[in-house]
Amino acid sequence: MINLETPKKFNQLVSQAHQVAAEILRPNSRKYDTAEHEYPKELDMLAAAIDGLNEGGALSGAGAGAVGTNGSSQSIKKDEGGNRNGSNMASLLGLIEMCWGDVGLLLAMPRQGLGQAAIAAVANEEQLARFGGKWAAMAITEPEAGSDSAAIRTTAVLDEATGEYVLNGEKIFVTSGDRADLIVVWATLDRKQGRAAIKSFVVERDNPGLKLDRLEHKLGIRASDTANFVLTDCRVPKESLLGDPEIAPKGGFSGVMQTFDNTRPLVAGMAIGVARACLEDTRDHLQSAGIEIDYNLPPYLQSAAAAEFIAMEADWEAARLLTLQAAWMADNKKPNSLQASMAKAKAGRMGTEIALRCVALCGATGLGEGELMEKWARDAKILDLFEGTQQIQLLIIARQLLGKTSAELK
Ligand SMILES: Cc1cc2nc3c(=O)[nH]c(=O)nc-3n(C[C@H](O)[C@H](O)[C@H](O)COP(=O)(O)OP(=O)(O)OC[C@H]3O[C@@H](n4cnc5c(N)ncnc54)[C@H](O)[C@@H]3O)c2cc1C
């Protein structure tokens, strides 16, 4: 039987994450939205507390709901009946709460980040020990390669004499790129061999060959730094290539892409969190304006505002259930590329639409800087864009449903 309750073992995690969101993230939201590029020092203490909880096992390797899943399959515990709710579900539930607080600050949380998900997906034991627990950003996107990540031009050439790879190229839009300890850089060993030759390399942030070009000024999530880099003869030990250095015609690149099956439900979760914040505030505003939301009445017997609110809640719930399904499948080792993209597409669009409709329903209050609604509407947009845009998710879904390859359906 399907059980749609939050697994009991995660209740404590969810309530802790909610408390952090309410007491630390929300009170600092406007401050770091206004002071873009300023380091949110309030997060240091919080990150240390999360590390402590993780080490003590209190969070079951959940990364306290921040960005990475930390990839730990050992943390997956088996429930009765063979049903697993592990680190993917825990991260998702925590994230939803934290993003109810503030998406930008969540993304700025020290030692979390998508780079760790990439490391966990392909690193060997020695690399896991060397890089695990560090703050790692992920650098795939380039000026000429965004949605089509197989088109990257950054090169990696092995210098046999020194046993180092030499990286050259440009990386843009790297979340936490300025603040992280490590940057996981995607580069090609041989452009002629296409996607099979793309590998990821761990570059220390203080490597002299990795030069910060600029930090972006953004529409939303301003508490999170977004960095652009130039790599010029950037040397890394050959042991910094993650996974297998051989160029295998099949499997290598798709293995790296599978990282997204774990991370896309998490980005969907961010949209669910921020949309819930919008809905809760809107409900309060409607109620204080004397508008009653009656779930027992059909839409045509309600005020237009109440009917719209109920429709938005239904849309939110559909996105939430799709996302829970995708995370559950990841925990249960079921192939979930289709569901991960469905969740990301649905939640990304839902988050943007609900945030804007709530702004409109709340009128001047929704737009004013006296409250956070206008900020949430700006923050929501990126969630329909990074980790694959809306259009790219729809393309992936279409390929899966029609049984087409990426070469057959572009
Ligand atoms: C704030 C922020 C943070 C980011 N963080 C990271 C990060 O940490 N690491 C990282 O590597 N990248 C990051 N990115 C990059 C992000 O993932 C890319 O911006 C995204 O993949 C889109 O790439 P693009 O901007 O080059 O757009 P393009 O790929 O040029 O796309 C432009 C438009 O065309 C559409 N489009 C493209 N191809 C198709 C197609 N085949 N069919 C239909 N429509 C299509 C897209 O959906 C989009 O609407 C970040 C971006 C931002 C803005």
Side-chain angles (χ1 to χ4, degrees), residues 154-160 162-168 187-190 201 233-236 238 241:
T154 297
T155 53
V157 177
L158 183 61
D159 180 345
E160 301 276 3
T162 62
E164 294 167 314
Y165 282 104
V166 185
L167 275 59
N168 280 287
T188 172
L189 293 176
D190 180 1
F201 299 82
D233 293 333
C234 177
R235 291 179 166 268
V236 295
K238 70 174 192 284
L241 183 154

Side-chain angles (χ1 to χ4, degrees), residues 114 137-148 172-176 218 220-221 226 382 385-392 395 399 410:
L114 293 174
M138 177 105 145
I140 304 170
T141 308
E142 300 180 359
E144 306 299 329
S147 298
D148 184 7
I172 60 172
F173 295 141
V174 184
T175 298
S176 298
K218 304 191 297 292
I221 58 159
T226 308
I382 187 61
L385 209 162
F386 65 12
E387 292 287 292
T389 63
Q390 173 71 215
Q391 292 80 4
I392 294 304
L395 190 58
R399 280 184 199 139
K410 298 185 184 181

